[in-house]
Amino acid sequence: MSIDEISKRKGHKDFVTVVCDIDRGDLVEVIDSHKQDKIVEVLEQQPLEVRKQVKEVSVDMWGGFPKVIEKVFPNAVVVIDRFHVMKAVNNDLNKIRKQSGIKVKNNKFILLKNGIDLSEEEQEKLELILEHSKRLRLAYELKESFRGIYESKLTVEEGKIKIESWMGKARKIYCDAITTIGNHIEDICNYFLSRTTSGVMEGINNKSKLIKRRAYGFVNFGNFRMRLLA
């Protein structure tokens, strides 16, 4: 399963919680709240026998989700979505990029893009960018080595050792990201159980945003929920 939140209207901090079945690629519930108690109340309407079958729940790093999962899905482990973890690393890298004052065109796109996906021309531009700053070069290399951990076939224990080793090397560069990763290290490493991500949920969220945009937002939650589930 995956649990996430989206806003009912663009520009408003009026969130609803969405729940999807990753294996089937289906949206299964939309909850008119982002508060723990309400989410638990709605999800507990499903029979316990059904909820016991859930083995993993992929989420972002909002602190309320693990408590919800513990109450609702007694046999499930929390898996912090890898792309949210990489986002934390990329946010720190982007700060260093700004501090470096790089003028090369499209430098942000090239630095944040997966190194393995860079074209030959982009690789040449990357080298021009990294020549400007030793600190930026180190930050980029650390970003790529962190991504490489996720691409490796590891056990949970091996993944934790790799990530903790990376944190030791990156501590002076990725201060905020390391604090975030350290606070969620166990749930982050659960990714290596079966490499579960919230990719399916992101696709569903994109469709939901399209529905919302076409309707110019929804005032009535019931209508919003029915449209998304349909």
Side-chain angles (χ1 to χ4, degrees):
M1 304 290 289
S2 180
I3 307 176
D4 202 358
E5 72 282 338
I6 59 172
S7 63
K8 280 191 277 190
R9 288 181 292 169
K10 185 177 180 179
H12 291 254
K13 294 183 178 180
D14 190 10
F15 293 107
V16 300
T17 301
V18 286
V19 184
C20 87
D21 183 324
I22 294 175
D23 290 336
R24 291 164 46 200
D26 291 338
L27 182 65
V28 296
E29 188 53 270
V30 184
I31 303 166
D32 192 16
S33 177
H34 194 47
K35 294 183 178 179
Q36 293 177 41
D37 292 345
K38 182 62 177 179
I39 298 171
V40 169
E41 177 187 338
V42 172
L43 293 180
E44 282 187 335
Q45 293 174 17
Q46 295 293 325
L48 179 60
E49 296 75 25
V50 174
R51 292 186 276 117
K52 281 183 175 181
Q53 295 177 38
V54 177
K55 301 302 181 185
E56 297 182 19
V57 183
S58 180
V59 295
D60 62 24
M61 286 178 275
W62 179 58
F65 281 143
K67 296 174 183 177
V68 168
I69 294 164
E70 181 181 358
K71 289 183 178 180
V72 177
F73 304 111
N75 295 328
V77 297
V78 178
V79 181
I80 299 294
D81 180 49
R82 63 175 282 183
F83 298 103
H84 285 89
V85 183
M86 282 304 308
K87 183 178 179 181
V89 172
N90 281 333
N91 284 343
D92 274 4
L93 176 58
N94 195 41
K95 291 176 187 175
I96 297 168
R97 178 192 68 85
K98 291 178 180 178
Q99 294 166 0
S100 300
I102 307 299
K103 303 299 182 184
V104 177
K105 189 176 180 180
N106 293 330
N107 64 83
K108 177 181 178 181
F109 172 79
I110 291 172
L111 283 168
L112 300 187
K113 186 175 180 179
N114 291 343
I116 195 172
D117 297 325
L118 292 173
S119 67
E120 187 174 338
E121 181 182 353
E122 288 170 338
Q123 290 174 358
E124 291 174 358
K125 283 188 176 181
L126 173 65
E127 188 55 36
L128 287 175
I129 293 166
L130 299 182
E131 283 179 355
H132 286 78
S133 168
K134 290 183 179 180
R135 183 167 180 259
L136 183 61
R137 181 182 291 276
L138 176 58
Y140 178 81
E141 290 172 350
L142 286 167
K143 184 265 289 188
E144 282 296 297
S145 67
F146 187 77
R147 186 184 62 79
I149 295 173
Y150 272 118
E151 297 301 326
S152 304
K153 292 183 179 180
L154 304 169
T155 65
V156 172
E157 293 75 17
E158 290 168 343
K160 185 176 181 181
I161 291 170
K162 291 277 189 181
I163 289 175
E164 288 179 337
S165 174
W166 180 88
M167 291 168 67
K169 298 173 185 175
R171 194 164 302 280
K172 293 182 179 179
I173 300 288
Y174 284 100
C175 302
D176 293 341
I178 283 176
T179 299
T180 299
I181 293 169
N183 289 338
H184 300 277
I185 185 71
E186 301 296 334
D187 296 339
I188 287 173
C189 291
N190 282 337
Y191 165 81
F192 297 103
L193 285 169
S194 53
R195 306 180 75 83
T196 297
T197 76
S198 296
V200 170
M201 175 64 87
E202 292 303 316
I204 289 173
N205 283 349
N206 288 335
K207 292 179 182 178
S208 300
K209 290 173 185 176
L210 178 60
I211 291 171
K212 181 176 62 176
R213 186 164 64 248
R214 285 177 173 173
Y216 298 98
F218 287 84
V219 176
N220 183 289
F221 170 74
N223 291 339
F224 185 41
R225 178 177 179 273
M226 286 189 292
R227 285 286 297 275
L228 294 190
L229 291 175

